[in-house]
Amino acid sequence: MSSVGGPSSESEDDQVTADPTVREALAAAARRSAVGHVAPGEAPTSGALLEAMGGVRGLVESILPGLAFLVIFTITQELVASVVAPVVVALGFVAVRLATRTPVSSALVGVVGVALSAGLALFTGRAEDNFLLGFVINAVFLVAIVVSVIARRPLVGLIAALLVPTAADWREDKAKFRVALIATVLWAGLFSVRLGIELPLYFAEATQALATMKLLLGVPLYAGVLWVTWLLMRTAYGRTTTE
C-alpha cells in the first residue's frame, strides 16, 4: 500500500472524483452523514449540534419509539404490544410531518426500521430480537470504518474533503490526516461500545436492560462523539481559514 499522500493515492482519488456527477452524488451522501453536519473550522455551539441532530423533532423521533418499547414491555411483558407501539408512534411522526408539510423522508426511514424490527421479533416470538436490525446496522458501519482506516482513507477525512474545498489536501497535511484518523477511530469506538455492551445483554435475554442501554448508547453517545469530532476537526481544518 502506498504511503499517505503518495502519487498513486492521488491518482486513485482523481479516478473516483473525476466524474462531476459521481462527486456530486458522493457529496450529497456526505452531507446526509453524521459528520456532514459538522462544519470543519467552525466553532461548535449547542444550537448547531441540536440542529445537526435534527432539532427537537429529530430527537423526539429518535428516542420515543425505543422509550415506548421499554415502558410497555416493562409494564406488560407482552411482546405484541411492546413492538407494535413503536410502529404506531413512528407512523404518528409521519402523519404529523405530512400535516405540517415538512419533509417526511427521515420519518419514513424510521417507520421502515421500526417495522422491520417489530416483524423480526414477532416472527421469532422473542422480544430481544426487536434489536437485531440495530446490531446489523452498527456492525456494517463498524466494518466500513475499520476498512477505511486500514486502507489509510479514514472516512471522516473523505467526508470532509467532499464537503469543504480547503480540506482537499487532508492526506498531504499530516495534521489534517491525523485528526481525520482520530475522529474516524472515535466513531469506530462508538459502534464497538454499542455492540460490546448490547450483544451480551441480547444473548442473556435481558430485554429490559438491553432496551435501556439502547436508549443510553443512542442519542447521548452519538451527540458526544459528534461534538468531539467537531472540536477535533476545528483544530486542524480551521487553520486554513486564517492562513
Side-chain angles (χ1 to χ4, degrees):
M1 183 174 294
S2 61
S3 60
V4 175
S8 63
S9 61
E10 287 186 359
S11 63
E12 289 170 4
D13 286 347
D14 290 341
Q15 291 173 4
V16 171
T17 59
D19 187 341
T21 304
V22 173
R23 183 176 179 82
E24 289 172 5
L26 291 173
R31 284 191 293 271
R32 292 191 296 269
S33 69
V35 181
H37 295 292
V38 175
E42 292 185 8
T45 64
S46 56
L49 180 65
L50 179 62
E51 184 64 26
M53 298 176 67
V56 175
R57 173 180 287 183
L59 289 178
V60 172
E61 291 178 353
S62 298
I63 295 172
L64 202 54
L67 184 60
F69 174 91
L70 175 60
V71 171
I72 294 176
F73 187 79
T74 299
I75 295 173
T76 68
Q77 297 292 308
E78 290 290 335
L79 171 63
V80 175
S82 301
V83 299
V84 169
V87 178
V88 173
V89 171
L91 287 172
F93 292 143
V94 173
V96 170
R97 284 181 174 268
L98 287 172
T100 56
R101 298 180 181 275
T102 52
V104 299
S105 56
S106 60
L108 286 174
V109 170
V111 169
V112 172
V114 172
L116 286 175
S117 297
L120 283 170
L122 291 173
F123 178 76
T124 63
R126 302 172 71 243
E128 56 270 21
D129 285 343
N130 187 60
F131 303 96
L132 275 176
L133 181 61
F135 296 149
V136 172
I137 292 173
N138 279 280
V140 168
F141 276 117
L142 178 59
V143 170
I145 290 172
V146 170
V147 169
S148 78
V149 170
I150 294 174
R152 306 293 286 177
R153 304 289 193 279
L155 281 180
V156 170
L158 292 173
I159 293 172
L162 289 169
L163 296 172
V164 184
T166 56
D169 64 341
W170 69 280
R171 286 196 295 113
E172 288 74 33
D173 187 313
K174 291 183 178 180
K176 290 181 180 179
F177 180 84
R178 189 179 303 112
V179 164
L181 180 61
I182 293 172
T184 302
V185 170
L186 190 64
W187 284 96
L190 178 147
F191 297 115
S192 297
V193 167
R194 286 178 176 174
L195 292 171
I197 293 177
E198 293 172 11
L199 279 174
L201 295 174
Y202 169 80
F203 289 116
E205 299 184 358
T207 305
Q208 289 170 248
L210 177 55
T212 301
M213 294 310 302
K214 183 80 171 179
L215 289 172
L216 295 176
L217 298 176
V219 171
L221 185 59
Y222 173 88
V225 172
L226 188 61
W227 183 268
V228 174
T229 299
W230 204 331
L231 293 174
L232 285 171
M233 294 180 73
R234 187 182 180 223
T235 62
Y237 292 83
R239 296 178 307 137
T240 57
T241 61
T242 58
E243 290 177 356

